[in-house]
Amino acid sequence: MLSRLSFTTAALCRGLSTTAQNNASVAVLGAAGGIGQPLSLLLKNSPLVSKLSLYDIAHTPGVAADLSHVETRAEVTGFIGADQLPHSLKDVDVVVIPAGVPRKPGMTRDDLFNTNASIVATLTEACAKHCPEAMICIIANPVNSTIPITSEVFKKHGVYNPNHIFGVTTLDIVRANTFVAQLKGLDPARVNVPVIGGHAGKTIIPLISQCTPKVDFPQDQLEALIGRIQEAGTEVVKAKDGAGSATLSMAYAGARFVFSLLDAMNGKEGVIECSFVRSEETACPYFSTPLLLGKNGIEKNLGMGKLSPYEEKLVAGAMDELKASIKKGEDFVKSRK
């Protein structure tokens, strides 16, 4: 039952043992949505967070009132509509953006682009103006394009810091850990599979060869496993039968990443998470790899490590799609008035 919910318990213990450091102000933009609400609940439950700022275009006062009754110390405030967006970002340390439309059956992440690109550009413009030093964690899909959008927006405003902008790909790691554990009869809380590349289809590259503990699969089973990890989002969309996409697992993964980031910002050493960020590890200007996090965001990009020949093929096969998605995001901002 503990599974990876132990990260919440661990955060609670850390929050009790350290006091002054755990005063982070976190904003959730898109807080009334399917991901935003459970994500906000998980953040409210953490003593790492002292202020929780919830923003959306509708329903946020109600979500904030509901969450404010939870018996944890984080002070919750709801903000609604464009006029209140700047106020929601005042003095925040971390911004998490799950805002956007969910994927429906038959939709690709690319189909989400036109709507979600505009939403992310608008929200990150507000961040660049009102909290330029904050850590920005983008959940809104397609992440392979929304991170380049965020970067270009910050560049336009002259406040770009590549060490502060993260594409949250943690759900791919969470799924890989779960699926490997199921196949091998392991405790998923003790499995760690790095996932590199991007956050859509074949750009999601689980490094099973670097799994801890070490595991081996016959080639056919390995290919099926990687295929399932890559298409796990579609698995959820189909199972929900038109009622939405991955919300609960994404909220869990988003909270896990934010807690890791807050730990690192508080001075904890050795905090490592994979994330889609500005990178020089490959020919793509953005790429997800394990990152050492610290007080100032990315302390060090740990790179891909030693890949198996099969994993090298997967990386090579992802490059064209990644480059196209990145360019699409960059071009969107350049053409935006």
Side-chain angles (χ1 to χ4, degrees), residues 15 39-40 54 93 155 159 193 247 254 262 268-269 301 334:
L39 172 61
S40 297
L54 307 183
D93 303 300
K155 286 177 188 177
V159 291
V193 180
T247 54
L262 291 175
K268 185 181 179 185
E269 296 182 354
N301 192 320
K334 288 172 185 174

Side-chain angles (χ1 to χ4, degrees), residues 5-39:
L5 283 175
S6 58
F7 80 82
T8 305
T9 306
L12 283 166
C13 293
R14 285 191 295 273
L16 293 172
S17 62
T18 57
T19 53
Q21 293 177 323
N22 298 333
N23 287 308
S25 177
V26 179
V28 181
L29 309 185
I35 297 169
Q37 289 198 47
L39 172 61

Side-chain angles (χ1 to χ4, degrees), residues 209-232:
S209 70
Q210 295 181 26
C211 177
T212 306
K214 185 171 176 55
V215 293
D216 289 301
F217 295 97
Q219 187 64 24
D220 60 340
Q221 194 176 21
L222 176 64
E223 290 178 11
L225 169 62
I226 289 175
R228 187 186 177 199
I229 294 166
Q230 291 175 333
E231 296 301 324

Side-chain angles (χ1 to χ4, degrees), residues 11-26 40-53 64 67-77 93 259 262-263 266:
L12 283 166
C13 293
R14 285 191 295 273
L16 293 172
S17 62
T18 57
T19 53
Q21 293 177 323
N22 298 333
N23 287 308
S25 177
V26 179
S40 297
L41 174 60
L42 289 169
L43 294 173
K44 175 72 169 87
N45 194 45
S46 172
L48 294 168
V49 180
S50 60
K51 291 185 179 180
L52 191 55
S53 177
L67 271 185
S68 71
H69 294 177
V70 173
E71 56 177 356
T72 58
R73 73 189 183 101
E75 177 187 326
V76 185
T77 310
D93 303 300
F259 294 155
L262 291 175
D263 272 340
N266 284 340

